[in-house]
Amino acid sequence: MTGDMLINYALGILFFPLISFIILIFVGKRLPRQGDVVGIGTIILTLILSLAMFGSMLLSHDPGFRHEASFTWIDLGDFEIRLGFLIDNITIIMLLVVSLISTMTHIFSTKYMEGDIRYSRYYAYLGLFTFSMNGIVLANNLVSLYIFWELVGVSSYLLIGHWFEKDSAADASKKAFLTNRVGDIGFFIGLMLVFTALGTFNYAEVFEGVAKGAISGTLLTFAGIGLFMGAVGKSSQFPLHIWLPDAMEGPTPVSALMHAATMVAAGVYLSVRLFPLFTPEALLFIAYTGGFTAIFAATIAITQNDIKKVLAYSTISQLGYMILAVGTGAYVAGFFHLVTHAMFKACLFYGSGSVIHAMHHALHNLKDHDTDPQDMRNMGGFKSKMPITYWTMLVATLAISGVPLFSGFLSKDAILAGTLSFASHHPQHFLLPVFGFSAALITAFYMFRLIFMTFHNQPKLPNVYSDIHESPKPMVFPLILLSSLSVFIFYTLPYFNPLSDHGWFMELIKAKDSMVPGSPSAHDIAEGMHHSHTLTMILSILVASLGILLSWAVYIKNSVSADNWSKRLDLYYNLSLNKYYFDENYNKYLYQPFLRLANRVSYIDWDLYDKYFINGFGHITKWLSSVTGRIDYDGLDQTIVDGLGRSMGKAGSSLKEIQTGRLQNYMLFALFGVIIIIIFQSF
Amino acid sequence: MNNLLSISLFLPELVLTATIIIAIIVDIFSVSNRTSKVSNYVIIGLLATLAAVFLTNHSPTTLFMDSLAFDPFASFIKSVVLVATLLIIIFTRYSNEFKGYHTGEYYALLCIMVFGMFLMASAIDLITVYLSIEVVSLMSFILAGYLKNNPRSNEASLKYVIYGAFSSGIMLYGLSIIFGLTGTTKFFAIRDAITTLDSSSNLALTLSTVFVLAGFGYKISAVPFHFWTPDVYEGSPTPITAYLSVAPKAAGFALMIRFFNQVFVDGDSLSTLGWYADVSFAWPEILGVISVVTMTMGNLVAIQQNSVKRMLAYSSIAHAGYMLMAFPTISSEGVFAVMIYLVMYLFMNLGAFFVLIYVAQKQGGENFEHFSGLGWRMPIVGIVMTIFMFSLTGLPPTVGFIGKFYLFVAVINAGSAFYWIAFFGAINTVVSLYFYMRVVKTMYLDGNPSEEIIVPPLSVTLILLVLAVPSVFFGIYWTPILNWVNNSLLFFVQI
C-alpha cells in the first residue's frame, strides 16, 4: 500500500467515529434502535480499514516503515504549528488494537446497555472516545497529541459519569478528570520545555534536536519527566493511581475499552513514542515508578472483594510492568505487553461484565436491591451455569498470570528479561527485577483467587445461584474472540515455539536507539535481554506456578485459611484492604487544605477585589458611557437639535423638525472635524 | 492596457452588467408579486460573476487607459463583496419587511451597487474614484428608503441623501484641489507630481487630502463623519442595514488603502509596499486618532442602546475603528490585517444581523426585551447568536479573535510609537464585552425558560449554520483565509 493511500485510510479511521458521534449526539434518539447501528456501522468500517493497514504491514514486512504527512495549522510568521499523521508499524498495530476492542465494546454493549435511558448518548460518547484515541495514535507531533489527550480525558469523564444520577459515579468522573489534570500539567510543562528549546513539536524534529544536543542534561531530564507525568496520570501510575479503581463506576464495557485496554495504555504509548528523548536519569525515574506501581497495586488487589476492583488494581499493576519495561530500555517489550494485555484484560472485563449482568438479572428477579452484584463473596460455583464465561476468563487469567502457551507469558517474559539484564549491568538497581518477579507471583495468586471465588466452590447465595444464566450471544462473542487472541500462536507466527522470543511482532517492531548521547544502544539492550532469556523463563514459570498453587491451596483445598492469615497479618491486611489509605490521606493533607486556601482566595477575590475594584471600574465605565451618551443625545439631540428644531418647529411638521434639525448638526460636526484636523495639521 | 484589450479582463463586470439587465427584463415581464423569481436569476448571475472573478487571471495591470487597476487585491475585495451580496439576497427573501413591496428592481439596484463597489475596489483615477463612490451612494440612498410606506425608512433615506451629497461635495472639492496641484487625475502621476512639489503647496495638499479623507470617512463611517450611520442603519430595512455595514465598508477600505498606499507611496520602496509619509502632513497620527475616537465613541454609545439593531449600528462604527488601527502603521502587515478582518467581519456581522431579522419576525421587535429567554425557547438561534456575540467581542476560538489578533500584531510590530493605539484598542475590546454579553445575558438569564421550544425551519437553520460554522471553524483553522489573503496582497504599481 502506498503512503498516500495509508494516509487516506488513516483519515477514515480517524473521522468515521467522529461522524458517528456527531450524528448520534444530535439526532441519535430519533433513529431506529436509538442509533446504535450508526455507531456499530462506523466502528466496523474503522476496523476494516485498520485490518487492511495491518495486512499491508504484514505483507510488506518492513520494520523500518514510516510515513508522515502534515499540514500547517497556525502560521504566525516565525511561529508555525504543523499538525499531521505519523504512520509506522507501532501506529498500525495500535490502531488495530483500538478499533478491535472498540468494536467488541460496541457489540457487547448492545445487550449490556439494553434499555438504558441514555442509550444513544452512550454510543455517541463511544464514538468520541474512539476518535480521540485514534487521534493520539496517529499524531506526529506533541500538540495534536496533547489535544487528543485531553479529548480522551473528556470522553472518559463523560463515560465514567454515564449514570450521573448516582453520586458515586458523578464523583468518580470528577476525580478521574481532576487527577488526570495533575499529570497533564506536568505533560504541558514538558511540552513547553521541549518547544522552547527546540522550536518544534514534531517527533522526528524533536529527536533530531535532542541528538544534536540542542537540549540536554538536567533540562532534558526535566522535560522527559514532565512529559512522563502525563503518562503517570493517564496510565494511573503511583501516586496518581487513585482514579482508576473509582472509574469502575462506569459501565463495564467502558471499563474494558478505556480503563483496561486502550485509554490507560495511552500513557504507555506516549512513553514508547518518546523513548528516544528520555535521559538515563529520566528512564531510571520511569523504571522505579513503573516497578513500584506494579508491586504496590498487586498487593492491594489481593484483598479486594469487588470483582471489578480486583481487575482495576490488576490493570494498574500491569501498566506498571509496561512502564517498567520502558524505563529499563526494553520498550518494545512494554509495547508488546500493551497489545497482549489489551486482549486478555478486555476479555477479563467483559467476563466480569457478563458475571455482573447475570448477577444483576438474578437479583432483579428476586427484587433484591441490597445485595452487591459485584461482590465476589456473593458468588461461587458459577462454572456450571456460565461455562463460556468461565472458560474464556480462565484462558485470559492464564495469560495474565504468565503461563506458557498464552500471550501474557511472551510479553511478561520479555519485560522481566529486560529488568534482569538491566540489573545485571547496574547491580545497585536489583530492586527492579525483584519488583517484577514478586508482582508476577502476586498476580498469579489474586487472579486465580478471582476465578476460584467466582466460579468454583459452593454457591454462597443459593437462591441467586439458581437464577444465573449464561449471557446472550453479543456478549459471549467478544469473550470468545478475545480469549482466542490470548493464545501465543497469534504473536509468534510464523514460528510455533511457545517459549520463543521471536515472531512477527518482534520482527516488525525494532527498538530505536535513544537519541540522548551516551545512552546504551538498542542493540546492546536486545543482546542483554537475549542473554537473560533462559533464566527469566525458568524464574517466571516458577513464580507463576507458585502463585497459582498458593491460590489453589487457599481457596480450593482450604488447607491454608485466608481468614487466619488475614488476622495474623492484621496491620498489613487492613492497609491493603483500605488501599493504603491513599484517598483518606489525599483528602486530609491535599484537598482540605486546598479547599481552605480556595475559600480564602475567593473571599479576597469576591468580597474585597470584586466588590470594590471591579464593580468600581464598572461604575466608572457606566458613568463614562452615560456621559458620552448624554453628549450625543442630551447635548446634541436635546439642546442643539431640538433647540433648533423647536425654533423651526413652528413652521414645519414634527417629522421635518427632526430631519432638518439633525442633519444640519451632523454636517456642522463633520465640518468641525475637518477644520480641527486641518488646524491640528497646520501646527 | 487599451480599451479593446481591457474588455477581456473586465469579464466579471460584464457578467454583472448582464445580470442587471436580465434582472430588469425578468422583472418587467414577470407577474407582479412573484419577485422571488428575479432573485433566483440574480443569484445565478452573481455566482457566475464570482466564477468570473476567479477565472480572470492576469498579472497586475491597468484597464481602460489607466483608469482601473486589475490586481489580486481588487479581485479579493470583489469576492468579499459578492459573498456579502449573495447572503443579503438570501436574507431579503426571508425577511418579511418587504411584504407588500415590489422587490423586482430591488435586486437590480443591489447589483448596480455591486458594480459600483467593483469600480471602487479597482479605481486608480480620481474621476473613477468619484464616480464609483457616487454609484454606490445613490443606490444606497434608494435601498435605504425602499420601504416607501415606512416613515423611518423615508427619514433614513433623506438623511442619507443630504449627508451623502454634503460629503461627496467636500470630497470633490478635495479632488479638484489635487488636480489643480498636480494637473493629473491618475494616482501614479499624482504621486510623481507630489514628490516634485515645493513646500508652498503643502497647505493646499493637506487641505485637499483632509477633504478626500472626509469622503472616505463618510463611506466607512469614521468619527466625525459617522453621524448619518445610526439613523440610516436604524431606519433602513434590516437586510440593507446588514449590507451597508459590510460591503460598502469593505469597498471603502479598499479604496482608502489604494489611495494612501499609491498616492503617498515612496518611489524607492514600491516593491516592499513602503508608504510614503514624507509630506508635511502627519496623516498616520491623524488616522490613529480617528481610529481611537471612532472605536471609543462607537462602543460607549452602543452600551446605551435599547434596540439591538441600533446597538449593532454603533458596533459597526466601532469595528471600522478597529480596522483603522492598522492604517497608521504604513506597512503591508497592516493591509494584510485589514483584509483578514474584512473576511472575518463578514461572517460574524452578517450572522448577527440575520439572527436579528429572524428574531424580529418571531418576536415582533428588535429591542433587547425581545431577546429575553431566547436561548431557552430557540436553542439553535441562541447558541448561534452567542457565537456571533463572542466573535464580535473578539474572544477565542472565533474568527473575531483571529481578526483582532492580526490587527494588534500589525500595530505592535509597527513600533512603540503606536502602542497607544493598541492600548486603546484593548480597552475598547473590554468595553464592547459589556453590550455584546448583554445580548447573551438577556437570552439566557432573563425571561421564562419553561416556555415552549421553537425549532426554526430547516432553511433558517441552514443559513445560520452557513454563517456560524465558518465563524468557529476559521477561528480554529484560519490558514486557508491566511493563504488567500497572502496571495491577494498584490497591488498594481507603476514605477
Side-chain angles (χ1 to χ4, degrees), chain A residues 604-625:
Chain A
I604 294 171
D605 192 54
W606 184 249
D607 290 325
L608 303 176
Y609 181 74
D610 204 76
K611 218 176 206 167
Y612 297 109
F613 189 78
I614 300 286
N615 287 1
F617 191 71
H619 286 306
I620 292 170
T621 316
K622 236 169 136 182
W623 176 78
L624 254 177
S625 84

Side-chain angles (χ1 to χ4, degrees), chain B residues 42 170 379 427:
Chain B
V42 169
I170 294 184
I427 289 194

Side-chain angles (χ1 to χ4, degrees), chain A residues 652-671:
Chain A
S653 69
S654 62
L655 192 66
K656 207 176 170 188
E657 200 177 274
I658 302 164
Q659 283 170 2
T660 51
R662 277 193 181 176
L663 264 176
Q664 287 180 344
N665 276 281
Y666 293 171
M667 294 180 197
L668 203 62
F669 271 83
L671 261 185

